[in-house]
Amino acid sequence: MVADLGKRTRETEPSPVRGRQGPVWTYLLMLLASLAALIVSFALSAETLQMARHPGQTLSCDLNAKVSCSTVAQSWQSEFISLAGLSFPNAFFGIAAESVFVTVAVIGLSRMVMPRWFALCTWLGSAAALLYSYWLFTQSLYVINALCPWCLGLMFATTIQFMTCSHATVTVQNLPSQGFLAAKLKTYYRLNIDLLVDAVWIIVLISLILLRDGSAIFG
């Protein structure tokens, strides 16, 4: 029984590697990205309350017809989640979600043992947050036809959060632990291929914004 307990503990312990593949680097970046997303969520919540108290008032991030927080905030996409007949701004859920990711990053930095199910749920939650932010981003860019600077900041922070969470899940939490996919993912991070992929990823996002609304942003 003691041997089995020791085996399970070793399986869930973070990898002892250091540098870019260790817990300090990966979870520190995840913490910074999650903190940035949390601060932006608070700012968006404050702007939402400001609009509710003073309808029609121009917000500080309303720069022009294209770069306008109020235009995005007044769309149905900004409050499409309803409970008991009440709609809730997306930013409120962002505060709750990012608080969890900040906590997870702190746990990772302290090198506490994470159960495999917990590490997997963290990654799935990060992926869900990423997909949610990208849906809002595409709605803003192509449907609402207005950009919210705070929303863009949240989208980029969520992207980096997912990148670092994925990195930590593979190199620190050792998930997946075996098989063809595990070997390929470990090689992917060990050779720093992720740096190139992440850089291209960010460039593509910036390019989409500039191609669509570059003239309005810098005009």
Side-chain angles (χ1 to χ4, degrees):
M1 180 176 179
V2 174
D4 291 341
L5 179 60
K7 181 179 179 180
R8 288 196 297 269
T9 301
R10 287 193 299 272
E11 287 178 349
T12 57
E13 286 180 349
S15 171
V17 294
R18 300 292 185 268
R20 269 201 82 237
Q21 314 307 327
V24 174
W25 176 272
T26 51
Y27 282 112
L28 179 59
L29 289 180
M30 180 179 173
L31 176 61
L32 294 176
S34 300
L35 282 173
L38 181 60
I39 292 172
V40 171
S41 295
F42 273 115
L44 282 169
S45 298
E47 296 283 14
T48 300
L49 294 175
Q50 180 74 5
M51 285 185 58
R53 292 169 179 167
H54 307 283
Q57 180 177 332
T58 301
L59 300 178
S60 59
C61 52
D62 288 338
L63 304 182
N64 52 49
K66 278 289 186 179
V67 184
S68 173
C69 291
S70 59
T71 301
V72 177
Q74 291 170 3
S75 66
W76 67 265
Q77 290 92 333
S78 65
E79 296 185 11
F80 76 94
I81 297 178
S82 298
L83 296 173
L86 298 175
S87 60
F88 297 87
N90 298 329
F92 291 179
F93 292 96
I95 292 175
E98 296 306 331
S99 298
V100 173
F101 288 119
V102 167
T103 303
V104 170
V106 171
I107 293 174
L109 278 173
S110 64
R111 306 189 185 191
M112 293 178 62
V113 174
M114 285 190 190
R116 298 174 70 83
W117 66 266
F118 185 83
L120 177 60
C121 287
T122 299
W123 183 84
L124 290 175
S126 180
L130 181 73
L131 293 176
Y132 186 44
S133 69
Y134 280 9
W135 178 79
L136 293 173
F137 168 64
T138 55
Q139 289 291 303
S140 176
L141 198 63
Y142 300 108
V143 180
I144 303 172
N145 290 318
L147 295 176
C148 167
W150 288 119
C151 300
L152 291 179
L154 182 60
M155 185 267 294
F156 281 109
T158 305
T159 299
I160 297 174
Q161 175 184 276
F162 175 76
M163 292 173 178
T164 54
C165 182
S166 298
H167 192 167
T169 301
V170 174
T171 62
V172 179
Q173 301 302 328
N174 196 32
L175 288 176
S177 58
Q178 56 186 354
F180 176 80
L181 179 59
K184 290 298 182 181
L185 286 174
K186 285 178 172 58
T187 301
Y188 171 78
Y189 286 109
R190 178 172 54 83
L191 298 179
N192 294 322
I193 300 174
D194 62 299
L195 290 177
L196 176 61
V197 173
D198 293 348
V200 172
W201 190 343
I202 296 296
I203 291 172
V204 168
L205 291 176
I206 295 174
S207 298
L208 288 174
I209 297 170
L210 294 180
L211 287 174
R212 179 73 176 181
D213 294 316
S215 58
I217 295 174
F218 299 105

